[in-house]
Amino acid sequence: MLGKKNIKKKIGILTGGGDCPGLNMAIKTVAQYAMNKYGWEVVGVKNAINGIVSDVKLSGEDSDIIEFSPSFSFSEYVRQGGTFLGSFKKIKTKRYRNVQNDEDLVSVMLPTFKKNIKEFNIDGLIATGGDGTMFMLNYLCEKSKIPFVGIPKTIDNDTPGTEISIGFSSAVDAIVNAMDSIFWTAKGHRRAIVTQVMGRDTGHLAMHSGVASCADIILVPEIPYTLSGIIKKIKDIKAKEKRDYFIIVVAEGAGLEKGKPLPKSADYTVAEYIAKALDKAGIEARADNLGYIQRGGLPNGYDRMLAAELAILAVDLMADGQSAVMAGMKDGKPAKVPLKNVCKKETRGLNLSSPIVKTAIKSGIYIGDVKKVK
Ligand code: F6P
C-alpha cells in the first residue's frame, strides 16, 4: 500500500481538460503534502494526458516532467491563473487522432501509458480534471495496476458527484466584475446588453453570476425561454421602474427560444440571437461574449482553499490504498466519491429547486418558463 511507512514511493500529478483558476494550488498541495506527510516522491507530468501517453523526455529544458523536491517554490504559481503544468482538452499525439471515442482511445493508449509510468517510476497518479480525464486515467491506471484519484475542476461546475468543482467560484467573480463594467455602458447608452457566459451544457455559472450581478434576465440550458417572455419582462421594467437599460446574462448552451438548440451551422451566438430579437422589438440591444476571461483569471480565496482541501483528501485517499475515487465536496465537506458515480454520467445540471434558482425567481428575475421544466 502506498501509505506504508518506510517504503519509498513516487506519485504523479497532472492537470487535465480545460484550465481554470485554482489548479496551481491543487498541484502545490498534492506535492507538498505527499512529500511532507508520507515521505513520497512527487513528479509533475506536463501537458495533461498527453504528457503520459506520448513519447516522453525525462530531462533537459523541454522535459515532460518536473521532479518536485521539498525546496521547490510554488509561491508564485499559487497566485497565478491556469496551470503551470500545462493542459490540453484534446489528445494531441498524431497516432491517436483518428480514434473516435474515449473507450477505443484508452485501449490504444495503454501500451505507451504502461511504458511511461515505468519510465517515470510512479506507483500512483492523481489528476485534476472533468469526467473525461478521470475516465481515461482511471482506466489506464486500473489496467496498469496503479491507483488513481481524481480532483474535480471546471468553471461550469457540472462534474457529477461533487457539489462544487475548482474554478467555479473564481469564474463567477470574473463574470460579476465584468458585469459591473458592462452595467455602466448599458446605463450610459440606455441599452439592453446581452452577455454570453460559458456553460455549454449547464447553467450554474450564468445563474450564480446573473443573480450576483443583479441581472434582469438569466437564460440557462435547463430552462426553456421565449422571446416574448424576455420582451415582456423588459417592458414591465420600463413601465414600473421607468428604467431603460437592462442586463441580460445568457449561458452559451441556452439555445434558441422554446428549448430549440442553436443550429450547428449558426454563424451567430445565443446572445446575438437575443439582441437581434430585442432590436426588432424596438429595444436597443448589444451582444457581448466574455469568453476566456472567465477561465483564465486569478484564483480567488475560495478556489485556493477548495483546491487545497481536495488535494489533501486526494493524497490521504491514495495513502489509504483507495483507487477509482474522486476527492469531491458533499454537504460542504471534502468527501470520497466512487468514480463509477462520476465518469460517463450525465453532467450535473442546475437543480431547479436549489436556493440560487429560488432566489432568482423570488428576486423577480426572468429565467424562462419554469413551469415547463420537467
Ligand atoms: O471548461 C468548459 C468550458 O468552460 C465550456 O463551458 C465551454 O464551452 C468550453 O469550456 C470552451 O473551451 P474550449 O474553447 O477550450 O474548448
Side-chain angles (χ1 to χ4, degrees), residues 338-356:
L339 278 182
K340 66 172 172 7
N341 299 344
V342 179
C343 302
K344 301 286 163 194
K345 296 283 168 208
E346 226 175 272
T347 48
R348 194 181 65 88
L350 195 58
N351 179 345
L352 299 180
S353 51
S354 63
I356 195 68

Side-chain angles (χ1 to χ4, degrees), residues 233-277:
K233 176 70 191 172
I234 288 180
K235 288 187 175 161
D236 284 352
I237 296 172
K238 271 190 179 175
K240 281 189 204 139
E241 296 180 32
K242 312 279 174 256
R243 173 152 65 85
D244 51 6
Y245 53 92
F246 313 95
I247 295 294
I248 302 174
V249 174
V250 44
E252 64 181 315
L256 309 184
E257 70 167 342
K258 298 178 183 161
K260 281 178 265 170
L262 185 75
K264 279 218 166 73
S265 58
D267 58 356
Y268 53 88
T269 63
V270 178
E272 284 166 346
Y273 161 79
I274 290 160
K276 198 171 164 197

Side-chain angles (χ1 to χ4, degrees), residues 36 50 89 95 143-144 147 166 169 189 253 264 307 342 352:
N36 296 338
N50 288 287
K89 285 187 128 177
R95 62 178 178 269
K143 295 284 175 201
S144 312
I166 298 171
S169 173
H189 287 270
K264 279 218 166 73
V342 179
L352 299 180

Side-chain angles (χ1 to χ4, degrees), residues 46-223:
K46 294 185 192 167
N47 302 321
I49 298 190
N50 288 287
I52 205 159
V53 297
S54 318
D55 301 329
V56 292
K57 219 169 158 275
L58 298 182
S59 57
E61 279 206 351
D62 55 349
S63 166
D64 288 293
I65 56 162
I66 300 176
E67 300 268 5
F68 294 122
S69 69
S71 63
F72 187 93
S73 176
F74 293 93
S75 57
E76 289 184 20
Y77 292 128
V78 294
R79 291 166 172 79
Q80 296 169 356
T83 158
F84 75 92
L85 288 177
S87 194
F88 282 101
K89 285 187 128 177
K90 296 258 182 303
I91 304 295
K92 264 181 47 189
T93 315
K94 268 195 200 142
R95 62 178 178 269
Y96 305 134
R97 262 192 209 149
N98 296 328
V99 186
Q100 296 301 323
N101 56 51
D102 287 0
E103 284 78 3
D104 292 342
L105 199 53
V106 280
S107 53
V108 181
M109 293 189 304
L110 187 58
T112 316
F113 181 85
K114 280 185 171 169
K115 181 173 154 279
N116 284 340
I117 59 166
K118 267 209 183 117
E119 300 244 359
F120 297 168
N121 193 22
I122 54 174
D123 310 290
L125 186 63
I126 295 179
T128 61
D131 64 324
T133 300
M134 291 194 242
F135 165 77
M136 289 199 249
L137 289 175
N138 186 47
Y139 175 96
L140 293 167
C141 286
E142 200 179 287
K143 295 284 175 201
S144 312
K145 301 198 171 36
I146 63 166
F148 173 76
V149 180
I151 301 175
K153 64 86 226 167
T154 162
I155 67 161
D156 291 351
N157 203 27
D158 55 5
T159 311
T162 182
E163 282 158 10
I164 190 149
S165 297
I166 298 171
F168 173 66
S169 173
S170 305
V172 170
D173 283 358
I175 297 170
V176 173
N177 284 335
M179 295 309 297
D180 284 350
S181 301
I182 286 169
F183 169 85
W184 294 107
T185 299
K187 184 164 194 256
H189 287 270
R190 299 169 169 202
R191 285 175 183 159
I193 298 192
V194 188
T195 305
Q196 182 160 311
V197 301
M198 283 187 176
R200 199 178 20 209
D201 305 312
T202 56
H204 299 277
L205 255 189
M207 192 58 74
H208 284 78
S209 61
V211 169
S213 307
C214 285
D216 301 302
I217 293 164
I218 303 170
L219 304 175
V220 295
E222 293 88 343
I223 309 174

Side-chain angles (χ1 to χ4, degrees), residues 26-42:
I27 302 165
K28 174 234 182 235
T29 310
V30 165
Q32 287 187 336
Y33 185 58
M35 288 189 284
N36 296 338
K37 162 93 184 179
Y38 294 105
W40 299 343
E41 289 177 38
V42 183

